[in-house]
Amino acid sequence: MAWFRKDGTDRGSAASDTDVHPLQQQVTDLERALADRQALIQMCLYALDRARSGGVVERLEEGLAAIGVQALRPDGERFDPARHEAGGAVPTEDPALEGLVAETEVTGFADHDRLLRAPIVTVYAKKNP
């Protein structure tokens, strides 16, 4: 059945040129949802960096963890420049501590296995004599 405009001209079939195939629409919807998710995660990280209340920080981190975004505080782990950013060093005479993360200065975050932000850490370094 042909569709007609008010002026009586033929519009073609019932499906318009702007109709999107259902699978294409699902892909578009998924891409939009993923982009929205990333934007919300970034907004939460922004809020976390500025939160003055420990309770607010805890609640935001719990909410992010519920969707697979984990806070990274690698205190006591071996420093790995691929996963950590060195912000400073603490001298130590204990060889067992050399190269370990002494403290996390800025919390890092990972979305499942994808690093969003490397934690900034202080690392134990050999004390110069």
Side-chain angles (χ1 to χ4, degrees):
M1 172 178 177
W3 291 82
F4 295 93
R5 294 188 178 123
K6 287 184 180 181
D7 65 4
T9 59
D10 184 27
R11 228 177 52 164
S13 67
S16 73
D17 293 338
T18 60
D19 283 346
V20 178
H21 186 275
L23 184 55
Q24 290 172 322
Q25 184 62 45
Q26 288 176 352
V27 169
T28 302
D29 291 346
L30 177 60
E31 289 171 345
R32 185 177 313 119
L34 290 172
D36 289 349
R37 179 180 184 273
Q38 288 305 312
L40 287 170
I41 289 169
Q42 290 305 315
M43 187 185 319
C44 286
L45 296 183
Y46 178 86
L48 272 166
D49 289 343
R50 287 148 184 81
R52 303 224 184 268
S53 162
V56 170
V57 169
E58 184 178 337
R59 180 64 191 107
L60 284 167
E61 286 186 8
E62 287 172 359
L64 287 168
I67 63 164
V69 177
Q70 297 297 319
L72 304 174
R73 292 183 186 88
D75 297 11
E77 294 179 15
R78 175 106 1 235
F79 175 75
D80 179 354
R83 299 181 314 127
H84 310 134
E85 181 180 330
V90 174
T92 182
E93 293 179 3
D94 184 349
L97 291 178
E98 283 182 52
L100 295 182
V101 174
E103 177 184 23
T104 301
E105 296 175 25
V106 178
T107 304
F109 289 89
D111 186 358
H112 298 282
D113 292 334
R114 188 171 62 93
L115 186 64
L116 298 175
R117 179 172 80 186
I120 300 173
V121 299
T122 302
V123 182
Y124 286 113
K126 183 177 181 179
K127 184 177 183 178
N128 291 328

